[in-house]
């Protein structure tokens, strides 16, 4: 059955991996599943046809036969559950890898998004100068904890898993700020994630779509 995902017709970052379809593309590449991409404009994302797939009018979505999913956590989990390569066979190791997916989305991503929004959307507010350092420190607190747990391991819990895929994707959002470079172990962890052939293919496919338009 053909898998179809949605992505930005024109990604704000020019297709440099920051939009969330990258993590879905990465998961599909990791497990060797071909997929098609339907591009949507910002206007089309808020229209009825897309809202039927995604109640919040966002990308990415995932369609496979009569199954339609939204939320990258659910999509990557679905892909990882149905195809070998992103979750360990051992039940406990599998549960821990899933825990890291949740940790990425529920514990690490929220302060990073708050920080990104503070920089990009609130930078011109009169209170931005006072708020931004507070928000940045909340991110740093999480990164200190994450770096301590990672230690000098390559991945969070044994072999690369959907937990790492999600965590790398979440951390990537920090790169433009420079904060990631304050944590060399995490910067190296993200670089390892980016160096994976599956990630490279996902990135190239997203960039190609955005490069063909002026
Ligand atoms: N929790 C959802 C998930 O994980 O699937 C979040 C989905 C989401 O935020 N989608 C964004 C979206 O559709 C695109 S990825 N936004 C449009 C809208 O809400 O109207 C967020 C994103 C977009 C672009 C950049 N960038 O260019 O730097 C970074 C992140």
């Amino acid at each position: 059955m053909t898998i179809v995902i949605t992505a930005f017709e024109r990604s704000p970052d020019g297709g440099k991996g920051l939009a969330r379809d990258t993590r879905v593309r990465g998961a599909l590449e990791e497990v060797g599943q071909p997929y098609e991409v339907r591009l949507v404009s910002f206007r089309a994302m808020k229209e009825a046809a897309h809202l039927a797939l995604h109640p919040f009018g966002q990308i990415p979505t995932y369609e496979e036969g009569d199954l339609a999913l939204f939320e990258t956590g659910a999509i990557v989990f679905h892909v990882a559950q149905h195809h070998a390569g992103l979750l360990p066979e051992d039940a406990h190791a599998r549960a821990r890898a899933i825990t890291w997916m949740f940790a990425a989305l529920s514990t690490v991503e929220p302060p990073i998004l708050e920080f990104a929004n503070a920089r990009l959307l609130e930078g011109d507010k009169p209170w931005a100068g006072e708020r931004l350092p507070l928000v940045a420190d909340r991110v740093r607190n999480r990164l200190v904890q994450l770096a301590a747990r990672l230690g000098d391991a390559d991945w969070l819990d044994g072999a690369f898993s959907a937990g790492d895929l999600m965590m790398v994707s979440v951390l990537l959002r920090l790169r433009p700020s420079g904060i990631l470079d304050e944590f060399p172990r995490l910067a190296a962890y993200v670089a390892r994630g980016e160096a994976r052939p599956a990630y490279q293919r996902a990135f190239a496919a997203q960039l190609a779509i955005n490069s063909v338009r002026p």
Side-chain angles (χ1 to χ4, degrees):
M1 209 133 9
T2 307
I3 293 171
V4 181
I5 68 168
T6 51
F8 282 133
E9 185 180 67
R10 214 178 278 262
S11 189
D13 70 341
K16 303 270 173 49
L18 295 184
R20 284 186 183 74
D21 56 294
T22 315
R23 54 180 76 157
V24 172
R25 293 170 183 271
L28 290 165
E29 293 286 356
E30 287 284 352
V31 302
Q33 280 298 301
Y35 62 97
E36 294 178 1
V37 183
R38 191 169 62 248
L39 300 177
V40 286
S41 66
F42 279 96
R43 198 178 64 186
M45 284 162 63
K46 309 301 173 195
E47 290 174 350
H50 190 74
L51 287 171
L53 288 172
H54 196 308
F56 307 111
Q58 296 184 316
I59 60 96
T61 58
Y62 175 101
E63 291 159 85
E64 187 181 7
D66 58 5
L67 174 69
L69 297 174
F70 62 96
E71 283 298 333
T72 53
I75 296 169
V76 172
F77 187 35
H78 172 81
V79 170
Q81 269 188 309
H82 289 88
H83 305 281
L86 278 171
L87 288 174
E89 287 297 320
D90 174 76
H92 283 192
R94 197 175 179 94
R96 290 196 304 273
I98 293 165
T99 301
W100 278 115
M101 289 183 66
F102 276 87
L105 295 175
S106 310
T107 302
V108 180
E109 189 167 53
I112 289 177
L113 289 185
E114 198 185 1
F115 175 60
N117 287 339
R119 283 182 79 224
L120 300 174
L121 307 178
E122 300 166 358
D124 59 344
K125 302 284 188 258
W127 35 262
E130 282 186 71
R131 177 168 145 79
L132 198 56
L134 302 177
V135 178
D137 280 344
R138 269 183 229 136
V139 172
R140 288 191 180 94
N141 288 342
R142 282 286 176 259
L143 299 191
V144 166
Q145 295 165 321
L146 184 64
R149 173 52 77 101
L150 179 67
D152 56 11
D154 278 355
W155 308 114
L156 287 166
D157 191 330
F160 177 85
S161 77
D164 294 298
L165 183 142
M166 208 53 94
M167 192 66 82
V168 166
S169 169
V170 161
L171 294 175
L172 263 171
R173 187 76 189 267
L174 281 175
R175 177 165 290 143
S177 74
I179 284 192
L180 197 56
D181 296 327
E182 297 172 24
F183 299 84
R185 279 179 173 168
L186 294 181
Y189 170 67
V190 170
R192 274 192 293 282
E194 288 179 295
R196 293 181 68 80
Y199 180 87
Q200 293 286 316
R201 289 193 295 273
F203 184 93
Q206 193 196 57
L207 186 61
I209 283 171
N210 282 272
S211 308
V212 292
R213 290 177 183 78

